[in-house]
Amino acid sequence: MVAPPDNAPPDNDVLWARSLHYSHDRSPALVEISVSVRQGEILALTGPRGSGKTTLLRCLSGQLRPQQGEVWFNSVPVHTMGALVRERLRRDRFGWIGHEPQLLPELKAWENAALPLLLAGASHRSARKAACEWLDRLDIAGLARKRPGALTRAESQRVALARALVNEPAVIFADEPTAPLHRTDRALLLRTLTTAARSHDITVLMATHDEATAAVADRRIALLDGRLAGAADAASPVADTPEDQAACSLSA
């Protein structure tokens, strides 16, 4: 049920949460957290491990229902949705990339990248084309037919980013996405993510304890022991304009 209008979030916030509480085995993970994110904004959630960043991302993305508080996406209350509706929301409107690629080992790289589109009922041909375009942007189009077991950790993480971007979601949730990567691979992944966000007006919420990763954000919110520790604007360099999309032609 939708809350009365005076309880709804501002219209210009694509994602909005108020007074979130969540505990793991009676240990508080989030305490009175309120946050809002504008469309197209890149927001970094910073703080040490165990500060509540992942729990906050999972509550905002609908993976967890907060034990107290509200989460709204485009003025629709996520916190009142049933499990199936939240699952559909995550599939159709959200993208997720974590510090582990979590690719399906039996699928080829392009199939892993295309999975959100295939699950949503897109044609095999159109899903493959979209996936290959993102793999090309990430410089791994030549690996599209390989399975995860034949990929390096960095290559697998690029496939995971392609999967998060393939359906051009409204919001991407990134949980320590650069943690397993060396400097060069980290720079490529961040450049692709931020360029896609700017060019497609995608909102990005990124949890990180890495200063170089947080530096690409428009704004930062710091967490400590499940509470907000402060917020500050971050000077963010404008990402390079993405190269023209180039579809790769592959047989199934």
Side-chain angles (χ1 to χ4, degrees):
M1 181 176 67
V2 177
D6 58 339
N7 288 338
D11 290 338
N12 60 342
D13 288 334
V14 67
L15 199 63
W16 184 85
R18 177 169 58 190
S19 302
L20 298 185
H21 289 256
Y22 197 89
S23 295
H24 298 291
D25 297 326
R26 300 185 181 180
S27 177
L30 298 177
V31 181
E32 198 65 27
I33 297 289
S34 296
V35 62
S36 62
V37 194
R38 298 182 299 274
Q39 183 173 349
E41 183 178 23
I42 300 176
L43 176 65
L45 305 175
T46 65
R49 286 186 173 89
S51 59
K53 302 188 300 296
T54 297
T55 302
L56 179 55
L57 284 185
R58 294 185 69 196
C59 284
L60 294 175
S61 65
Q63 295 181 47
L64 293 176
R65 177 178 283 173
Q67 292 158 345
Q68 295 180 46
E70 307 172 25
V71 177
W72 297 72
F73 168 68
N74 281 343
S75 299
V76 176
V78 178
H79 57 285
T80 62
M81 292 178 177
L84 290 178
V85 179
R86 283 186 283 121
E87 181 180 343
R88 192 177 305 118
L89 174 68
R90 294 196 304 272
R91 183 194 68 196
D92 297 341
R93 304 304 307 278
F94 295 162
W96 179 277
I97 177 172
H99 61 278
E100 294 288 346
Q102 295 186 325
L103 305 181
L104 296 179
E106 67 273 18
L107 298 183
K108 299 171 185 175
W110 79 259
E111 292 171 322
N112 270 287
L115 199 56
L117 295 176
L118 294 171
L119 291 175
S123 71
H124 190 277
R125 183 188 184 103
S126 64
R128 183 177 62 189
K129 181 177 183 295
C132 287
E133 288 174 351
W134 283 111
L135 294 178
D136 184 68
R137 291 185 185 188
L138 286 156
D139 294 339
I140 53 171
L143 304 176
R145 290 173 56 83
K146 293 186 178 294
R147 288 184 168 80
L151 304 178
T152 67
R153 180 71 175 273
E155 290 165 349
S156 295
Q157 193 70 347
R158 293 189 208 179
V159 175
L161 178 58
R163 181 181 58 198
L165 289 164
V166 73
N167 62 343
E168 297 184 10
V171 183
I172 286 181
F173 299 89
D175 186 15
E176 300 283 4
T178 62
L181 304 178
H182 295 299
R183 184 168 60 89
T184 301
D185 293 313
R186 179 172 65 229
L188 173 61
L189 186 137
L190 286 175
R191 185 170 64 250
T192 304
L193 176 58
T194 55
T195 300
R198 305 299 185 198
S199 62
H200 292 76
D201 207 22
I202 298 172
T203 300
V204 178
L205 278 80
M206 181 165 51
T208 183
H209 64 275
D210 177 65
E211 176 60 30
T213 299
V216 307
D218 302 312
R219 185 165 54 99
R220 305 184 197 187
I221 292 178
L223 277 72
L224 185 63
D225 297 330
R227 299 175 183 272
L228 292 179
D233 290 333
S236 174
V238 177
D240 294 334
T241 302
E243 298 178 356
D244 294 337
Q245 296 184 6
C248 57
S249 176
L250 296 172
S251 59

